[in-house]
Amino acid sequence: MKKPLRIDRAKAAALFIDLQEEHRRDERYLVEGYDTVLGNAARLQSAARRSGIPVFHCAYIVDLADNLRPFHPIGPDGRSAFSDKDDPLTAICPEVAPLPSERLLVKNEASAFGKSPLIGELRDAGVEWLVIAGVWTEACVDATVKDAINLGLHVLLVKDGCGSGGLAMHQTGILNLANRLYGGAVVGTEAACAVLEGDTVEAWRVEGSVPLRYTFENAAKLYGEL
């Protein structure tokens, strides 16, 4: 259900997840529509900066020496099958790169929280609402959003600021999160920018238990209505 939403900008921050070069240059790891995702992320960053809202970035960089997951995929060369620490394509794309004053967190797992100091930094800054965009929707975005909710943060999920390996993967990933986004909201980039600049917008808010019962036939329609 859509309801009016306005956020106290003094209690907001924006987080951009894994907007790295590998997603447009590594054939194994491409994000569909990535140029659009990057363009929308850049718009969100600009809106946040204009309003003095803290901007956080994270990058997935795997160091197998520090990776304790027993089943992590390893390539024939003995390196991580993705996001290896020695791969230059783990760099953040330049059009959405952190400013010198902005925080870049390197993670070795899906969630941006995990073992990182992120939640402490957000709490120290008085953040209650976290605006989230990034890739992949059903993986690192999903893990981060769920951890944020469990840690007591309200999440504003920007659906077209996220992306995945295919449209169906992305749309169903957003629908899955929307069904359980308690205390948060789903919007598009235009509405998110307006919120970051202090305006009130119509935002999709979850009510009840799992309201979006989607099928192969109606998933795209429901996604469009969020």
mmCIF file with all atom_site columns, all heavy atoms in Angstrom, residues 207-221:
data_model
loop_
_atom_site.group_PDB
_atom_site.id
_atom_site.type_symbol
_atom_site.label_atom_id
_atom_site.label_alt_id
_atom_site.label_comp_id
_atom_site.label_asym_id
_atom_site.label_entity_id
_atom_site.label_seq_id
_atom_site.pdbx_PDB_ins_code
_atom_site.Cartn_x
_atom_site.Cartn_y
_atom_site.Cartn_z
_atom_site.occupancy
_atom_site.B_iso_or_equiv
_atom_site.pdbx_formal_charge
_atom_site.auth_seq_id
_atom_site.auth_comp_id
_atom_site.auth_asym_id
_atom_site.auth_atom_id
_atom_site.pdbx_PDB_model_num
ATOM 1   N N   . GLU A 1 207 ? 2.120  -3.930  4.659   1.00 0.00 ? 207 GLU A N   1
ATOM 2   C CA  . GLU A 1 207 ? 1.119  -4.107  5.703   1.00 0.00 ? 207 GLU A CA  1
ATOM 3   C C   . GLU A 1 207 ? 0.772  -5.586  5.784   1.00 0.00 ? 207 GLU A C   1
ATOM 4   O O   . GLU A 1 207 ? 0.583  -6.246  4.768   1.00 0.00 ? 207 GLU A O   1
ATOM 5   C CB  . GLU A 1 207 ? -0.152 -3.289  5.405   1.00 0.00 ? 207 GLU A CB  1
ATOM 6   C CG  . GLU A 1 207 ? 0.014  -1.806  5.644   1.00 0.00 ? 207 GLU A CG  1
ATOM 7   C CD  . GLU A 1 207 ? -1.318 -1.067  5.625   1.00 0.00 ? 207 GLU A CD  1
ATOM 8   O OE1 . GLU A 1 207 ? -2.347 -1.718  5.330   1.00 0.00 ? 207 GLU A OE1 1
ATOM 9   O OE2 . GLU A 1 207 ? -1.320 0.135   5.889   1.00 0.00 ? 207 GLU A OE2 1
ATOM 10  N N   . GLY A 1 208 ? 0.683  -6.084  7.007   1.00 0.00 ? 208 GLY A N   1
ATOM 11  C CA  . GLY A 1 208 ? 0.326  -7.476  7.178   1.00 0.00 ? 208 GLY A CA  1
ATOM 12  C C   . GLY A 1 208 ? 1.483  -8.402  6.841   1.00 0.00 ? 208 GLY A C   1
ATOM 13  O O   . GLY A 1 208 ? 2.648  -8.019  6.805   1.00 0.00 ? 208 GLY A O   1
ATOM 14  N N   . SER A 1 209 ? 1.138  -9.645  6.566   1.00 0.00 ? 209 SER A N   1
ATOM 15  C CA  . SER A 1 209 ? 2.134  -10.677 6.326   1.00 0.00 ? 209 SER A CA  1
ATOM 16  C C   . SER A 1 209 ? 2.147  -11.087 4.863   1.00 0.00 ? 209 SER A C   1
ATOM 17  O O   . SER A 1 209 ? 1.156  -11.596 4.337   1.00 0.00 ? 209 SER A O   1
ATOM 18  C CB  . SER A 1 209 ? 1.817  -11.902 7.194   1.00 0.00 ? 209 SER A CB  1
ATOM 19  O OG  . SER A 1 209 ? 2.704  -12.954 6.921   1.00 0.00 ? 209 SER A OG  1
ATOM 20  N N   . VAL A 1 210 ? 3.256  -10.851 4.181   1.00 0.00 ? 210 VAL A N   1
ATOM 21  C CA  . VAL A 1 210 ? 3.500  -11.284 2.798   1.00 0.00 ? 210 VAL A CA  1
ATOM 22  C C   . VAL A 1 210 ? 2.332  -10.897 1.879   1.00 0.00 ? 210 VAL A C   1
ATOM 23  O O   . VAL A 1 210 ? 1.664  -11.753 1.304   1.00 0.00 ? 210 VAL A O   1
ATOM 24  C CB  . VAL A 1 210 ? 3.761  -12.806 2.728   1.00 0.00 ? 210 VAL A CB  1
ATOM 25  C CG1 . VAL A 1 210 ? 4.385  -13.176 1.389   1.00 0.00 ? 210 VAL A CG1 1
ATOM 26  C CG2 . VAL A 1 210 ? 4.667  -13.258 3.853   1.00 0.00 ? 210 VAL A CG2 1
ATOM 27  N N   . PRO A 1 211 ? 2.078  -9.594  1.692   1.00 0.00 ? 211 PRO A N   1
ATOM 28  C CA  . PRO A 1 211 ? 0.933  -9.177  0.866   1.00 0.00 ? 211 PRO A CA  1
ATOM 29  C C   . PRO A 1 211 ? 1.124  -9.370  -0.633  1.00 0.00 ? 211 PRO A C   1
ATOM 30  O O   . PRO A 1 211 ? 0.148  -9.437  -1.375  1.00 0.00 ? 211 PRO A O   1
ATOM 31  C CB  . PRO A 1 211 ? 0.788  -7.693  1.204   1.00 0.00 ? 211 PRO A CB  1
ATOM 32  C CG  . PRO A 1 211 ? 2.171  -7.269  1.582   1.00 0.00 ? 211 PRO A CG  1
ATOM 33  C CD  . PRO A 1 211 ? 2.780  -8.439  2.283   1.00 0.00 ? 211 PRO A CD  1
ATOM 34  N N   . LEU A 1 212 ? 2.382  -9.441  -1.094  1.00 0.00 ? 212 LEU A N   1
ATOM 35  C CA  . LEU A 1 212 ? 2.636  -9.533  -2.535  1.00 0.00 ? 212 LEU A CA  1
ATOM 36  C C   . LEU A 1 212 ? 2.786  -11.000 -2.934  1.00 0.00 ? 212 LEU A C   1
ATOM 37  O O   . LEU A 1 212 ? 3.877  -11.561 -2.933  1.00 0.00 ? 212 LEU A O   1
ATOM 38  C CB  . LEU A 1 212 ? 3.903  -8.744  -2.903  1.00 0.00 ? 212 LEU A CB  1
ATOM 39  C CG  . LEU A 1 212 ? 3.842  -7.246  -2.633  1.00 0.00 ? 212 LEU A CG  1
ATOM 40  C CD1 . LEU A 1 212 ? 5.223  -6.616  -2.775  1.00 0.00 ? 212 LEU A CD1 1
ATOM 41  C CD2 . LEU A 1 212 ? 2.849  -6.568  -3.557  1.00 0.00 ? 212 LEU A CD2 1
ATOM 42  N N   . ARG A 1 213 ? 1.679  -11.641 -3.259  1.00 0.00 ? 213 ARG A N   1
ATOM 43  C CA  . ARG A 1 213 ? 1.693  -13.054 -3.657  1.00 0.00 ? 213 ARG A CA  1
ATOM 44  C C   . ARG A 1 213 ? 1.855  -13.107 -5.169  1.00 0.00 ? 213 ARG A C   1
ATOM 45  O O   . ARG A 1 213 ? 0.889  -13.190 -5.918  1.00 0.00 ? 213 ARG A O   1
ATOM 46  C CB  . ARG A 1 213 ? 0.404  -13.735 -3.200  1.00 0.00 ? 213 ARG A CB  1
ATOM 47  C CG  . ARG A 1 213 ? 0.172  -13.699 -1.693  1.00 0.00 ? 213 ARG A CG  1
ATOM 48  C CD  . ARG A 1 213 ? 1.295  -14.404 -0.935  1.00 0.00 ? 213 ARG A CD  1
ATOM 49  N NE  . ARG A 1 213 ? 1.058  -14.378 0.501   1.00 0.00 ? 213 ARG A NE  1
ATOM 50  C CZ  . ARG A 1 213 ? 0.592  -15.414 1.211   1.00 0.00 ? 213 ARG A CZ  1
ATOM 51  N NH1 . ARG A 1 213 ? 0.325  -16.556 0.601   1.00 0.00 ? 213 ARG A NH1 1
ATOM 52  N NH2 . ARG A 1 213 ? 0.417  -15.292 2.513   1.00 0.00 ? 213 ARG A NH2 1
ATOM 53  N N   . TYR A 1 214 ? 3.104  -13.042 -5.612  1.00 0.00 ? 214 TYR A N   1
ATOM 54  C CA  . TYR A 1 214 ? 3.323  -12.920 -7.046  1.00 0.00 ? 214 TYR A CA  1
ATOM 55  C C   . TYR A 1 214 ? 3.456  -14.281 -7.723  1.00 0.00 ? 214 TYR A C   1
ATOM 56  O O   . TYR A 1 214 ? 3.755  -15.289 -7.093  1.00 0.00 ? 214 TYR A O   1
ATOM 57  C CB  . TYR A 1 214 ? 4.556  -12.053 -7.329  1.00 0.00 ? 214 TYR A CB  1
ATOM 58  C CG  . TYR A 1 214 ? 5.859  -12.580 -6.796  1.00 0.00 ? 214 TYR A CG  1
ATOM 59  C CD1 . TYR A 1 214 ? 6.621  -13.486 -7.524  1.00 0.00 ? 214 TYR A CD1 1
ATOM 60  C CD2 . TYR A 1 214 ? 6.352  -12.129 -5.568  1.00 0.00 ? 214 TYR A CD2 1
ATOM 61  C CE1 . TYR A 1 214 ? 7.824  -13.952 -7.037  1.00 0.00 ? 214 TYR A CE1 1
ATOM 62  C CE2 . TYR A 1 214 ? 7.558  -12.587 -5.084  1.00 0.00 ? 214 TYR A CE2 1
ATOM 63  C CZ  . TYR A 1 214 ? 8.286  -13.509 -5.822  1.00 0.00 ? 214 TYR A CZ  1
ATOM 64  O OH  . TYR A 1 214 ? 9.479  -13.970 -5.331  1.00 0.00 ? 214 TYR A OH  1
ATOM 65  N N   . THR A 1 215 ? 3.208  -14.260 -9.022  1.00 0.00 ? 215 THR A N   1
ATOM 66  C CA  . THR A 1 215 ? 3.334  -15.439 -9.869  1.00 0.00 ? 215 THR A CA  1
ATOM 67  C C   . THR A 1 215 ? 4.256  -15.090 -11.039 1.00 0.00 ? 215 THR A C   1
ATOM 68  O O   . THR A 1 215 ? 4.648  -13.938 -11.212 1.00 0.00 ? 215 THR A O   1
ATOM 69  C CB  . THR A 1 215 ? 1.968  -15.882 -10.417 1.00 0.00 ? 215 THR A CB  1
ATOM 70  O OG1 . THR A 1 215 ? 1.478  -14.849 -11.294 1.00 0.00 ? 215 THR A OG1 1
ATOM 71  C CG2 . THR A 1 215 ? 0.955  -16.108 -9.289  1.00 0.00 ? 215 THR A CG2 1
ATOM 72  N N   . PHE A 1 216 ? 4.582  -16.089 -11.857 1.00 0.00 ? 216 PHE A N   1
ATOM 73  C CA  . PHE A 1 216 ? 5.353  -15.799 -13.064 1.00 0.00 ? 216 PHE A CA  1
ATOM 74  C C   . PHE A 1 216 ? 4.626  -14.773 -13.931 1.00 0.00 ? 216 PHE A C   1
ATOM 75  O O   . PHE A 1 216 ? 5.236  -13.938 -14.586 1.00 0.00 ? 216 PHE A O   1
ATOM 76  C CB  . PHE A 1 216 ? 5.567  -17.079 -13.880 1.00 0.00 ? 216 PHE A CB  1
ATOM 77  C CG  . PHE A 1 216 ? 6.524  -18.041 -13.237 1.00 0.00 ? 216 PHE A CG  1
ATOM 78  C CD1 . PHE A 1 216 ? 6.093  -19.290 -12.830 1.00 0.00 ? 216 PHE A CD1 1
ATOM 79  C CD2 . PHE A 1 216 ? 7.848  -17.706 -13.044 1.00 0.00 ? 216 PHE A CD2 1
ATOM 80  C CE1 . PHE A 1 216 ? 6.967  -20.188 -12.245 1.00 0.00 ? 216 PHE A CE1 1
ATOM 81  C CE2 . PHE A 1 216 ? 8.738  -18.600 -12.455 1.00 0.00 ? 216 PHE A CE2 1
ATOM 82  C CZ  . PHE A 1 216 ? 8.282  -19.851 -12.053 1.00 0.00 ? 216 PHE A CZ  1
ATOM 83  N N   . GLU A 1 217 ? 3.308  -14.818 -13.902 1.00 0.00 ? 217 GLU A N   1
ATOM 84  C CA  . GLU A 1 217 ? 2.515  -13.967 -14.789 1.00 0.00 ? 217 GLU A CA  1
ATOM 85  C C   . GLU A 1 217 ? 2.384  -12.537 -14.280 1.00 0.00 ? 217 GLU A C   1
ATOM 86  O O   . GLU A 1 217 ? 2.300  -11.599 -15.073 1.00 0.00 ? 217 GLU A O   1
ATOM 87  C CB  . GLU A 1 217 ? 1.119  -14.568 -14.994 1.00 0.00 ? 217 GLU A CB  1
ATOM 88  C CG  . GLU A 1 217 ? 1.089  -15.860 -15.793 1.00 0.00 ? 217 GLU A CG  1
ATOM 89  C CD  . GLU A 1 217 ? 1.584  -17.070 -15.005 1.00 0.00 ? 217 GLU A CD  1
ATOM 90  O OE1 . GLU A 1 217 ? 1.522  -17.032 -13.752 1.00 0.00 ? 217 GLU A OE1 1
ATOM 91  O OE2 . GLU A 1 217 ? 2.054  -18.044 -15.646 1.00 0.00 ? 217 GLU A OE2 1
ATOM 92  N N   . ASN A 1 218 ? 2.335  -12.329 -12.964 1.00 0.00 ? 218 ASN A N   1
ATOM 93  C CA  . ASN A 1 218 ? 2.028  -10.983 -12.466 1.00 0.00 ? 218 ASN A CA  1
ATOM 94  C C   . ASN A 1 218 ? 3.187  -10.286 -11.766 1.00 0.00 ? 218 ASN A C   1
ATOM 95  O O   . ASN A 1 218 ? 3.051  -9.171  -11.275 1.00 0.00 ? 218 ASN A O   1
ATOM 96  C CB  . ASN A 1 218 ? 0.812  -11.029 -11.538 1.00 0.00 ? 218 ASN A CB  1
ATOM 97  C CG  . ASN A 1 218 ? 1.111  -11.670 -10.176 1.00 0.00 ? 218 ASN A CG  1
ATOM 98  O OD1 . ASN A 1 218 ? 2.220  -12.113 -9.908  1.00 0.00 ? 218 ASN A OD1 1
ATOM 99  N ND2 . ASN A 1 218 ? 0.103  -11.730 -9.326  1.00 0.00 ? 218 ASN A ND2 1
ATOM 100 N N   . ALA A 1 219 ? 4.363  -10.933 -11.701 1.00 0.00 ? 219 ALA A N   1
ATOM 101 C CA  . ALA A 1 219 ? 5.471  -10.342 -10.946 1.00 0.00 ? 219 ALA A CA  1
ATOM 102 C C   . ALA A 1 219 ? 5.873  -8.975  -11.490 1.00 0.00 ? 219 ALA A C   1
ATOM 103 O O   . ALA A 1 219 ? 6.071  -8.021  -10.730 1.00 0.00 ? 219 ALA A O   1
ATOM 104 C CB  . ALA A 1 219 ? 6.670  -11.289 -10.941 1.00 0.00 ? 219 ALA A CB  1
ATOM 105 N N   . ALA A 1 220 ? 6.003  -8.858  -12.812 1.00 0.00 ? 220 ALA A N   1
ATOM 106 C CA  . ALA A 1 220 ? 6.421  -7.580  -13.402 1.00 0.00 ? 220 ALA A CA  1
ATOM 107 C C   . ALA A 1 220 ? 5.396  -6.491  -13.123 1.00 0.00 ? 220 ALA A C   1
ATOM 108 O O   . ALA A 1 220 ? 5.762  -5.330  -12.843 1.00 0.00 ? 220 ALA A O   1
ATOM 109 C CB  . ALA A 1 220 ? 6.644  -7.743  -14.899 1.00 0.00 ? 220 ALA A CB  1
ATOM 110 N N   . LYS A 1 221 ? 4.112  -6.838  -13.169 1.00 0.00 ? 221 LYS A N   1
ATOM 111 C CA  . LYS A 1 221 ? 3.058  -5.860  -12.898 1.00 0.00 ? 221 LYS A CA  1
ATOM 112 C C   . LYS A 1 221 ? 3.138  -5.377  -11.441 1.00 0.00 ? 221 LYS A C   1
ATOM 113 O O   . LYS A 1 221 ? 3.072  -4.166  -11.175 1.00 0.00 ? 221 LYS A O   1
ATOM 114 C CB  . LYS A 1 221 ? 1.690  -6.463  -13.179 1.00 0.00 ? 221 LYS A CB  1
ATOM 115 C CG  . LYS A 1 221 ? 0.500  -5.540  -12.884 1.00 0.00 ? 221 LYS A CG  1
ATOM 116 C CD  . LYS A 1 221 ? -0.803 -6.216  -13.268 1.00 0.00 ? 221 LYS A CD  1
ATOM 117 C CE  . LYS A 1 221 ? -1.999 -5.282  -13.013 1.00 0.00 ? 221 LYS A CE  1
ATOM 118 N NZ  . LYS A 1 221 ? -2.192 -5.041  -11.554 1.00 0.00 ? 221 LYS A NZ  1
#
